[in-house]
Amino acid sequence: VLGNFTKQREEGKTRQRYINDLKENLGLLYGYNEELIELFFQTFNPAECVQFFQANEESRPVVIRTNTLKSKRRDLAQKLISRGVNLDPLADWSKVGLKIYESKVPVGATTEYLCGHYMLQSASSFLPVMALAPQMNEKILDMAASPGGKTTYIAQLMRNTGLLVANDFKKDRCKSLQFNLQRMGVNNSIITNYDGRKFTKVLKGFDRVLLDAPCTGLGIISKDPSAKHQRQLIDVKKMSHLQKELLLAAIDCTKKGGYVVYSTCSVTVDENEWVVDYALKKRYVKIVECGIDFGEDGRTKYLDRRFHQTLKMTKRIFPHVHNMDGFYLSLIHI
C-alpha cells in the first residue's frame, strides 16, 4: 500500500497511520522493541526495513579465510574437500576467502584449523584489513584486536615483517587473541592491554591503525537476536561517544601521511558517519577512497544532520542487500 499509496489506501486512512500499523506489526512479528523499530525506520525506508528485518532472521554463509603464512587457498580447499566439505571461493574481490555450504566435519576442529591454516571469519570482516592495505616492514596498530581475526589477516599481508601491535581493553579477551596469533603462526606481533583512548601515552608514530570499534552490533542481529529487545537508543548514544574518543586517539597514534581505518558492525548513522564527521571537525584529516568496489555509499545527511560530502567515499554493507553482516567502513588519511 505504501508503495502505491494514492491508489491503494483506504479512504480516510493517512500514510502515517499505515506506517504506525506497520511498525507495530513488525515489532510483534520479529520481536524488536519500540525504540529500535523507530531507529531503523529513520535509517531505512519502510520497504527496506521489512527486508532488513527478514534478512536478520536468516543466517549468513559460513566463511573461512586462508592463512597464507601457512597455506595456499587452492591447497586448503583440496584438503577440506577430501574431508567432506562442500565449498566455493568466497567472491571475486577476495583471494583468500572460502564459502562453506555444508561439512561432514566440524569446521572449527579440523587438523587444518588447529594447525592455523585458516580462520573462521565473516566476509564483512575481511574489508577493513583490505582497506587498511598493510605493507611489509610497517608499524601497525590494531586498537581493538580480540579475538584476532583481523589482526592475523594484517600479519599475513605484512608477511610477518615489521611490527604489529595487537591491543585490547579487556584482559580476559587477550587470551583468545594470544591463542589465535600463536595458532596462525604470527611472530611479528606484541599484545597489549590498554584503554584505546589512552594509547597515545603508550606508543605513537604508526604507519597504519585499524580501529574496528566496539559497537552495538546492530548489523549482526542474525548472530545475536537478543539485541532486538535488549539494545536501546541510550546504548547507541553511549557507544557513539566512546567511538568518537577512540577514533581521535587512533588518529593521534598515526604519523603524518599514515592511514586509519574506522569500522563497525552496526548500521546506525550515530555510530558511523556521525563519528567520522566528528573526527573531521576535530582533526586535520581527510576521507579517501577505501578501495572496496561494492557496498553502498556512506550517508551525507540523516534526519536534520548534514555531514561532510567526502563521507560518500565511506562504505556501508547491508545484510538485506549483500547477504553479508551489516558493516561500515571508512579510510582516513592523516
Side-chain angles (χ1 to χ4, degrees), residues 200-301:
T200 51
K201 297 177 181 178
V202 181
L203 206 56
K204 288 183 179 181
F206 290 95
D207 296 291
R208 300 171 201 263
V209 175
L210 171 61
L211 174 57
D212 186 46
C215 68
T216 57
L218 291 177
I220 54 170
I221 295 172
S222 61
K223 290 181 178 177
D224 182 17
S226 66
K228 294 179 184 180
H229 49 85
Q230 288 183 354
R231 289 297 186 190
Q232 296 178 316
L233 281 180
I234 188 65
D235 298 317
V236 176
K237 300 298 182 186
K238 285 179 179 178
M239 280 296 179
S240 181
H241 180 74
L242 171 63
Q243 290 156 348
K244 288 172 183 175
E245 292 181 315
L246 285 169
L247 181 53
L248 292 186
I251 290 169
D252 293 343
C253 283
T254 311
K255 72 181 186 182
K256 183 68 177 173
Y259 292 90
V260 173
V261 165
Y262 174 80
S263 62
T264 75
C265 55
S266 177
V267 296
T268 70
V269 174
D270 283 49
E271 296 179 83
N272 297 319
E273 287 91 346
W274 198 25
V275 173
V276 177
D277 189 68
Y278 174 83
L280 292 178
K281 292 172 180 174
K282 293 291 182 180
R283 297 290 186 271
Y284 190 68
V285 296
K286 63 180 181 180
I287 304 294
V288 293
E289 292 285 355
C290 58
I292 307 298
D293 59 4
F294 66 97
E296 297 191 2
D297 293 344
R299 308 275 176 90
T300 56
K301 58 183 180 179

Side-chain angles (χ1 to χ4, degrees), residues 48 51 55 295-296 317-324:
E48 273 192 300
Q51 294 168 3
E296 297 191 2
I317 305 296
F318 293 124
H320 60 289
V321 178
H322 307 101
N323 195 26
M324 294 163 63

Side-chain angles (χ1 to χ4, degrees), residues 140-143 163-167 188-190 192 199 203 206:
I140 296 179
L141 168 65
D142 188 349
M143 189 173 267
L163 174 65
L164 174 57
V165 178
N167 180 70
N188 67 336
S189 67
I190 58 172
T192 58
F199 207 87
L203 206 56
F206 290 95

Side-chain angles (χ1 to χ4, degrees), residues 39-80:
L39 175 64
F40 289 133
F41 265 79
Q42 291 172 351
T43 307
F44 305 110
N45 64 45
E48 273 192 300
C49 253
V50 175
Q51 294 168 3
F52 176 71
F53 292 149
Q54 184 55 44
N56 289 338
E57 300 301 302
E58 300 161 4
S59 58
R60 306 274 86 77
V62 175
V63 174
I64 63 174
R65 173 179 53 78
T66 309
N67 179 15
T68 53
L69 295 175
K70 292 190 172 186
S71 181
K72 294 180 180 179
R73 183 168 69 170
R74 183 177 57 185
D75 296 338
L76 175 62
Q78 289 173 349
K79 289 177 183 177
L80 292 177

